[in-house]
Each structure stands twice: as C-alpha cells, then as structure tokens.
Amino acid sequence: MTVSLNDIVSLAKRRGFFYPGSDIYGGLANTWDYGPLGAELKKKIKDLWWETFITRRSDMVGLDSAVISSSKVWEASGHVASFADAMVDCKTCHSRTRADHLIEGHFEKKGSEIKVEGKSMAELSQLIKDNKIKCPTCGGLELTDARSFNLLFPVHLGILAETADLAYLRGETAQGIFTNFKNITDSTRVRLPFGVGQMGKSFRNEITKGQAIFRTVEFEQGEIEYFFNPENTNWEELFESWLTAMKKFVTDTLGINSENLRTREHDDKERSFYSKRTVDLEYNYPFGFKELWGLAYRTDYDLNQHIKFSGKDLSYLDPSSNTKLVPHVIEPAVGIDRIVLMVLCDAYWNDTENNRVVLKLSPKLAPYTVAVFPLVKNNETVVEKARGVFDTLASKFRVAWDDRGNIGKRYYYQDEMGTPYCVTVDYQTLEDGTVTVRDRDTTEQLRIPIESLSAHLEKLL
Ligand code: GAP
C-alpha cells in the first residue's frame, strides 16, 4: 500500500469525504462526520450491500431495530460481563492505550507478528514488562498493569436519576436480530435456512486513536444472521459460500484489487468460546492488513442465551417434521466505515505524470457520476446550453455543476472527487451542438453530439 493514512485524511477533509467530529470545538476523539461526498459514497455502499444481500435474495429479510436496548439484552449476550478490552495507562503522561494494540504494534515494528487475543491481564502485563514496551505517546516505560474496560455505552432512561432505567447503546446490531427472532418468524413466512440482515449504528467506547474512520466510537455495521438447522444443512459448506459471497462483494461489486485482500483464520485462543469457526477478511490498509469483515459460526449460543434470560420460547417449529429446534447461525459482519476507508485507499492514485491526485472509484460508487461545465461563465448562451445539458443528465445521473476557475483546475477538482466523466459546453457547442466528454483516468476527450450524450454515458457506465 503506497498511500498513507495522512494522504487519505487530508483528501477527505479537502474534498468533503469526512471531517473530525466536533471539529470547531477542537474535535472529539474517535468521532468523524461524513461530508457531502462521504455521505453520498457511504449511502451508495450501504445501498449496494442491502441490494446484494437482502433485496436480491429470496432467503433473506431485513430489520431495523432500536439503537437503545434494555440492559437485559446485553446481560444475556455476555457483553456486560465480558465485552471488554485490556487497557494500560502511562504513569508519566497519563495516556491510555489498548494492551493488545500496544504489544502487537511493538512486535509488528520489529518485523514479527503475534496475536494476544485470549491472553489474561497478567500475561499481557508480563509481555509488556518483559519486552520493555514503551508508552506510544511519550515513550515512558512506566505503564500500569493491564486492566479490563467494558466497551458498552450505558444510557439512563428517565428524568430522575434515582428512578432512571439503565439501558445500553447497542455494541453490535446482531443482538437486535436475535431478540426479534420470534417476532420475525411469527410475522413473516420465512423458512429455514434464512437470514436476517440489518444495517445501522453501533457504539463502543474505543480509546485507540489515529486510525481515522477505521476504529470509532460510533460506527455503522452491516450484519447478517443466517439461521439454519445443523441436522440438514452442512455448516462447512454454508460457511464457505458466505466467505465467497463476501469476497465477491468486495472485488466484483466494489471493484477492490484482490491483491489487497487476505483471509485470516482465528485459532482456538482467539476465537470466541461459542464459535466453531471464525475467519476475518482483511484489507491492506495504510497501517497493514486489518479486519474488514468477520465471518463466524456462532452456533445456537445467542438464541439459547436469550431463551435462558428472557424465559421466552425462541425455538423454530419445523413445518415439515412438526418438531421444534433452536437454529444455529453463521454471521457475516462488516463495518461500513471500514468499507469507506478501504474504497478510498484502493482508489487513491497519485498521478505524478499529470501532477494530480485521482480517486479511481468505480462509477457505481463515485459520489458524482458526471460533471457539467460551461467553458466560461460570462457568456449567457454557453451557460444556458450547459444548464440544459445538466438538467437532461440529472434525470439519470448524480451530476455536479462547476463554473468556477479555469477548466484544467475544474478537471483536477473532479479527479480528486472521483467523478468519472466531465462534460464541457464550449463555443463549438453553439455551432454544431457537440460537447466534450473527458475521461477521469486517461484524461482523453471525445466530442459527442448532445442528443447522444446520455446514451454514450450509460454505455460507458
Ligand atoms: N456481531 C459481531 C461483531 O460485531 P465485530 O468483529 O466486533 O463482530 C464486526 O464487528 C465488524 O464491525 C468488524 O469486522 C468491523 O468491520 C466493524 N467494527 C467493529 N468495531 C468497529 C469500530 N470501533 N469502528 C469501526 N468499525 C468497527
């Protein structure tokens, strides 16, 4: 990966993909706001995910459950007891760091790789001491022992503090699917095997800084719980088919270079105790290969936990055998913000030959598909003609309008936004009704009659 995270963050701010959260007040750690281009890009990604995994499949349904949920949900899921990261504090500068990131980062810098998931607090503290790992902020060697910090955000519902009910902002969208399992099977005609997909915000009290939208306290997930009967469905085959579907979405639908992807199998220590198999699909971000999309076989753990804690019957009645069962699930879970970051990193091209930065976004993802420019803004006839072209194209595509500055600068501005085509209305347009169409990647220009412009662009896209 040649692009740096700084390049991406600077382009994102310059062109309006994303900005630091609460920016005018000095920022709020690990929060980011999506700007006009980022909002468009993210929406396109979300629409493609929903269309691919829900709309186009007869075995899938969607859900949109509440972000705030009862504390009982998170007690049952195990998040209250064990959804925690190990943290260490620096005794010199008082900054707080995740112990796993600190240790893994230390070894990564030395050219070796270790995974510390599953290690106890004492083992983590020992590793830090034995390897003389320093505070990443001030370089100090005096770090506290590793301690456990829960990642859930508590909220208090009610006006009076004494009577307020404790609830939590959801730490994953998945639990809303499990708690609604009975509602879904009772209110729809779904039959096993089937999946429920949901997309929305999740919240985790993350403290690791400096990874932009990769790791934030508020982020968006696209999660699927695919329910099946292990008696008549081969889970290994189902697992492989989901892994293939995830990869296909990333390479074929989003246009990501497959060389920047790899899969990583979780070993027994790293895998959650209830999971029979977990694989991460990783992308080569500017800070190395990191998890983009997780795939886990969660067995019947979650439904059984909710049966135990709620006392409700969440089993499924198999209509063919008239027997009840608690289905098992395979869960593909992706972070939408991590997809946005991957898409930007993969598309970033420093075109040194033409002294420009280009976002080679797939036209399906580009916030604007085409830009329309009047060559000059002080010639009413040219501007009027260009407005006409804009209006015609706007009925089919997302079109940008720009009449400021010289034409070269306007092209470069659109290149950084990832706009695949720019159409210029000039003096020749007034004579023969043709416009130029400029290609973002090759910078080549063609002259096309206005009447065939829409069809021409549709063909290219
Ligand atoms: N229900 C399973 C689950 O939530 P996870 O691996 O913790 O599993 C799923 O999260 C995906 O959500 C990850 O693969 C990642 O893409 C995204 N994700 C997790 N934590 C995140 C964070 N703090 N910021 C942005 N994305 C995050």
Side-chain angles (χ1 to χ4, degrees):
M1 176 76 17
T2 46
V3 61
S4 74
L5 190 62
N6 271 348
D7 291 334
I8 298 293
V9 172
S10 135
L11 172 73
K13 188 147 192 207
R14 196 162 73 239
R15 292 293 169 243
F17 282 97
F18 54 81
Y19 320 113
S22 309
D23 206 9
I24 60 166
Y25 293 103
L28 180 66
N30 293 336
T31 64
W32 294 84
D33 296 335
Y34 283 86
L37 295 191
E40 292 276 354
L41 173 61
K42 195 174 173 195
K43 184 176 181 307
K44 289 192 173 185
I45 290 168
K46 284 166 37 174
D47 288 348
L48 284 170
W49 182 91
W50 192 272
E51 199 182 303
T52 307
F53 295 113
I54 298 177
T55 316
R56 290 206 211 128
R57 293 179 61 135
S58 60
D59 59 344
M60 291 287 306
V61 290
L63 179 77
D64 186 2
S65 69
V67 160
I68 301 175
S69 34
S70 162
S71 55
K72 296 196 177 82
V73 171
W74 304 99
E75 280 160 27
S77 67
H79 284 74
V80 170
S82 58
F83 191 47
D85 282 334
M87 311 282 189
V88 289
D89 290 331
C90 172
K91 290 183 187 166
T92 314
C93 73
H94 307 293
S95 66
R96 182 163 286 172
T97 317
R98 258 177 75 166
D100 57 345
H101 289 172
L102 187 65
I103 299 167
E104 287 170 7
H106 171 83
F107 281 94
E108 216 170 276
K109 269 190 214 141
K110 292 178 132 197
S112 55
E113 202 181 328
I114 66 160
K115 288 276 162 212
V116 296
E117 187 110 9
K119 291 212 183 295
S120 68
M121 296 295 147
E123 287 171 320
L124 294 172
S125 306
Q126 203 54 49
L127 267 169
I128 293 171
K129 277 195 194 107
D130 290 350
N131 292 284
K132 298 196 171 47
I133 300 178
K134 291 178 184 159
C135 164
T137 311
C138 73
L141 265 171
E142 281 216 69
L143 301 173
T144 61
D145 280 343
R147 283 174 295 164
S148 175
F149 282 86
N150 196 286
L151 296 179
L152 283 181
F153 277 108
V155 283
H156 299 279
L157 299 182
I159 299 168
L160 297 173
E162 313 86 71
T163 54
D165 279 330
L166 172 66
Y168 289 102
L169 295 183
R170 64 183 175 201
E172 60 176 14
T173 56
Q175 292 307 319
I177 301 179
F178 296 120
T179 54
N180 278 292
F181 179 74
K182 190 163 164 46
N183 284 335
I184 293 168
T185 50
D186 284 353
S187 60
T188 68
R189 299 181 69 79
V190 286
R191 289 264 187 101
L192 288 182
F194 71 89
V196 181
Q198 116 149 299
M199 179 168 274
K201 294 267 174 138
S202 291
F203 303 82
R204 297 182 189 177
N205 206 349
E206 303 273 9
I207 58 138
T208 305
K209 292 187 208 116
Q211 294 179 319
I213 55 171
F214 178 82
R215 192 180 305 283
T216 48
V217 292
E218 175 186 338
F219 55 99
E220 213 148 342
Q221 289 184 306
E223 295 200 284
I224 291 164
E225 301 304 327
Y226 198 82
F227 298 97
F228 64 97
N229 178 355
E231 296 290 316
N232 58 26
T233 302
N234 179 319
W235 76 262
E236 280 98 344
E237 279 175 17
L238 190 60
F239 195 96
E240 285 307 325
S241 76
W242 273 108
L243 193 53
T244 307
M246 286 155 51
K247 285 184 195 160
K248 192 162 177 281
F249 182 77
V250 175
T251 53
D252 299 7
T253 308
L254 303 178
I256 299 300
N257 179 357
S258 59
E259 280 175 18
N260 288 326
L261 292 171
R262 74 175 188 192
T263 48
R264 192 177 64 77
E265 189 88 34
H266 285 214
D267 62 20
D268 291 349
K269 278 200 165 171
E270 191 181 357
R271 211 171 47 236
S272 309
F273 69 92
Y274 50 79
S275 171
K276 275 208 177 156
R277 187 180 175 199
T278 303
V279 171
D280 286 346
L281 179 60
E282 297 187 333
Y283 178 74
N284 190 11
Y285 291 98
F287 36 86
F289 274 99
K290 295 280 175 232
E291 176 182 349
L292 166 76
W293 206 325
L295 180 65
Y297 174 20
R298 290 173 81 124
T299 64
D300 53 359
Y301 171 77
D302 300 88
L303 281 180
N304 274 331
Q305 283 295 102
H306 288 298
I307 290 171
K308 200 162 110 193
F309 278 71
S310 70
K312 299 277 160 40
D313 179 7
L314 304 183
S315 59
Y316 169 87
L317 179 67
D318 185 341
S320 53
S321 62
N322 218 22
T323 51
K324 278 184 167 184
L325 72 134
V326 176
H328 281 216
V329 282
I330 281 179
E331 178 198 66
V334 70
I336 304 302
D337 312 82
R338 288 193 187 179
I339 298 186
V340 174
L341 186 60
M342 167 182 72
V343 161
L344 292 176
C345 293
D346 223 69
Y348 192 98
W349 174 37
N350 194 354
D351 178 10
T352 43
E353 203 174 300
N354 292 303
N355 198 19
R356 61 182 187 144
V357 166
V358 186
L359 270 189
K360 278 181 147 191
L361 292 172
S362 145
K364 261 185 277 181
L365 295 177
Y368 289 95
T369 321
V370 51
V372 173
F373 310 148
L375 181 68
V376 286
K377 72 170 177 189
N378 55 5
N379 181 314
E380 251 178 57
T381 330
V382 171
V383 173
E384 210 175 294
K385 199 86 187 156
R387 274 281 166 209
V389 171
F390 177 95
D391 291 341
T392 312
L393 295 180
S395 63
K396 289 205 174 123
F397 313 103
R398 182 81 167 107
V399 192
W401 170 266
D402 194 359
D403 58 11
R404 290 191 306 169
N406 76 49
I407 210 81
K409 281 203 175 132
R410 283 188 248 170
Y411 284 146
Y412 280 21
Y413 185 76
Q414 294 298 327
D415 292 341
E416 287 201 343
M417 291 164 57
T419 311
Y421 301 103
C422 293
V423 172
T424 303
V425 172
D426 53 19
Y427 295 112
Q428 194 178 324
T429 314
L430 306 183
E431 285 162 23
D432 63 8
T434 62
V435 289
T436 61
V437 179
R438 183 238 190 209
D439 181 290
R440 175 194 67 197
D441 301 342
T442 62
T443 71
E444 271 164 23
Q445 298 187 28
L446 282 177
R447 276 209 94 88
I448 308 275
I450 291 176
E451 314 82 73
S452 31
L453 187 57
S454 272
H456 176 77
L457 289 171
E458 262 169 340
K459 209 166 137 203
L460 289 175
L461 295 163

